[in-house]
Amino acid sequence: MKKIAIKGTGSCSPERVVPNSYFETIIDTSDEWITTRTGIKERRMIEKGQAMSDLATLASASALQMAGFSADELDLIVIGTSTADMLSPSCGCMVQHRLGAKKAVAFDVNAACPGFIYGLAVAQKFMQDGSYSKALVVGGEIVSNRLDYKDRSTCVLFGDGAGAVVLGHSNGNDDGEILAMDIESDGDLWHLIHVPGGGSRIPASHEMIEKGLQYVRMQGNEVFKHAVRTLVGSARKIMAEQGITSDEIDWFIPHQANIRIMDVVAEKLGIPTEKVIVTVHKYGNTSAATIPVAFDEAVRSGRIRKGDLILVNSFGAGLTWGATLFRY
Ligand code: UT7
């Protein structure tokens, strides 16, 4: 089986900064509540008219440039998103069109927050047997227009963004390698985070809009418990599989939903806070984008270096969760 390496990274966060103080003007909340309960200070949101493929295309172009690949060399494009530009076609096809990646096969993986990890797993499978040699995997989400700005328990939590990696076959020891993957789902708990309207069960209608069924609904407290359990379990599983202990991990990039979840998970895994990459304070929860954006920023700032051992994990609607261990 061929080894897969990350050859380039890229990300794109919208320019519009929305600080916690904005929510103080529209709902009964405070900067103090949001900061202490979530760690979020501000988030980025798109301007009206922008969409998922705008961010995904820019993130992908940066990743391709770092990898030194041209778009027409790509065999595969997988976008982890549940907020494509349109219900159909996929965001993958939009990104293919905009990059000019003529020979790639392109599609989306709808796995909510772990969409990037699911996308990596799918690309890895296609590449391991040599079917494809160059792949683009994006994690991105536009959550800002799926939020009910009257629901204080959800609207303060999320933001928009996209991150990308370009994968190729590993050239050897100094080229990094994806070591282990775990992806899991539990559809019995679908109701804990969902968007009821706009799909085939409750299609778009005046009534649907009047009832606000197009917005994210989440049972935050319940989700919190499952998040800690699954994030720890998934990470432990792949570390044990590889015989790797927590002190060997150079960097841990957990899903950036809530600093309290991130702290508990890192503590349970025995990873010290100085090894945890944190972006939740400036971007909020950007769903599938949290990990690839944090990863790209850490690579570009020089924190993450070639050869580092990195653990990432994520959790979200489905329920879905997963973890990946790789040497950069
Ligand atoms: O990425 C997908 C995965 N999602 C997650 O991982 C999210 C997991 N859950 C969480 O991060 C947390 O549960 C939340 C941040 C969503 C909520 O924090 P919490 O500490 O679990 O708060 P809570 O839901 O238990 O609510 C505590 C109180 C309630 O008031 P009462 O009933 O105690 O009077 C809420 O009404 O805080 C209230 N509250 C707020 N107060 C001010 C909820 N939202 C707000 C708010 N501002 N924005």
Side-chain angles (χ1 to χ4, degrees):
M1 292 226 277
K2 290 185 181 290
K3 294 178 178 174
I4 315 304
I6 294 175
K7 305 278 189 173
T9 68
S11 62
C12 178
S13 298
E15 282 174 18
R16 187 160 69 97
V17 178
V18 180
N20 288 348
S21 55
Y22 167 73
F23 294 94
E24 294 178 329
T25 67
I26 61 164
I27 45 167
D28 179 16
T29 192
S30 63
D31 173 44
E32 200 262 332
W33 191 96
I34 302 169
T35 306
T36 54
R37 295 297 181 113
T38 70
I40 300 166
K41 295 298 290 181
E42 59 189 35
R43 70 288 290 142
R44 302 296 183 94
M45 291 186 180
I46 55 164
E47 302 289 352
K48 202 171 175 203
Q50 289 184 303
M52 187 60 241
S53 72
D54 299 333
L55 307 190
T57 302
L58 289 172
S60 302
S62 298
L64 281 166
Q65 191 180 36
M66 189 191 283
F69 295 167
S70 64
D72 58 11
E73 291 178 82
L74 288 172
D75 303 303
L76 174 67
I77 297 175
V78 187
I79 315 268
T81 190
S82 48
T83 53
D85 300 23
M86 306 175 195
L87 285 179
S88 185
S90 69
C91 186
C93 286
M94 293 294 192
V95 171
Q96 176 192 22
H97 161 67
R98 294 179 65 177
L99 290 174
K102 286 281 181 208
K103 75 167 179 168
V105 60
F107 54 88
D108 294 352
V109 171
N110 180 342
C113 302
F116 175 71
I117 290 180
Y118 271 58
L120 275 184
V122 169
Q124 188 194 30
K125 290 285 176 205
F126 274 118
M127 294 175 77
Q128 271 175 336
D129 68 359
S131 302
Y132 296 133
S133 63
K134 292 185 174 72
L136 169 70
V137 178
V138 178
E141 218 83 75
I142 306 298
V143 197
S144 60
N145 51 28
R146 292 236 175 127
L147 296 174
D148 179 353
Y149 288 89
K150 294 191 187 87
D151 175 8
R152 68 179 185 172
S153 69
T154 53
C155 72
V156 301
L157 304 175
F158 296 94
D160 305 330
V165 295
V166 168
L167 305 176
H169 289 139
S170 177
N171 296 330
N173 288 342
D174 61 343
D175 199 27
E177 180 186 349
I178 295 175
L179 298 167
M181 289 275 186
D182 176 54
I183 52 171
E184 300 184 53
S185 321
D186 183 355
D188 290 347
L189 298 172
W190 67 268
H191 53 281
L192 293 182
I193 317 173
H194 68 291
V195 178
S200 55
R201 189 165 300 283
I202 309 175
S205 67
H206 289 294
E207 194 193 351
M208 181 206 101
I209 302 287
E210 276 156 21
K211 289 183 174 166
L213 300 179
Q214 70 276 33
Y215 298 131
V216 174
R217 298 182 174 196
M218 181 168 74
Q219 295 175 35
N221 253 322
E222 273 301 299
V223 168
F224 195 114
K225 288 181 237 162
H226 289 291
V228 172
R229 174 180 58 82
T230 56
L231 287 167
V232 171
S234 190
R236 279 191 182 143
K237 188 168 159 183
I238 55 171
M239 285 163 69
E241 191 185 301
Q242 292 294 311
I244 282 172
T245 54
S246 52
D247 50 312
E248 292 173 80
I249 306 278
D250 293 304
W251 296 104
F252 176 38
I253 311 179
H255 177 42
Q256 315 273 320
N258 184 323
I259 194 73
R260 291 185 294 139
I261 298 176
M262 294 157 67
D263 286 346
V264 174
V265 171
E267 193 191 327
K268 284 184 184 286
L269 292 174
I271 299 174
T273 46
E274 57 272 21
K275 288 184 174 182
V276 182
I277 301 218
V278 178
T279 59
V280 71
H281 56 293
K282 54 181 184 168
Y283 297 135
N285 180 352
T286 56
S287 184
T290 69
I291 290 170
V293 169
F295 178 49
D296 177 56
E297 289 193 356
V299 166
R300 285 175 191 269
S301 68
R303 283 180 92 189
I304 290 182
R305 292 157 191 249
K306 278 279 173 202
D308 284 351
L309 183 63
I310 297 157
L311 172 70
V312 307
N313 62 4
S314 187
F315 167 90
L319 295 179
T320 50
W321 64 94
T324 307
L325 192 62
F326 61 93
R327 202 164 282 286
Y328 175 52

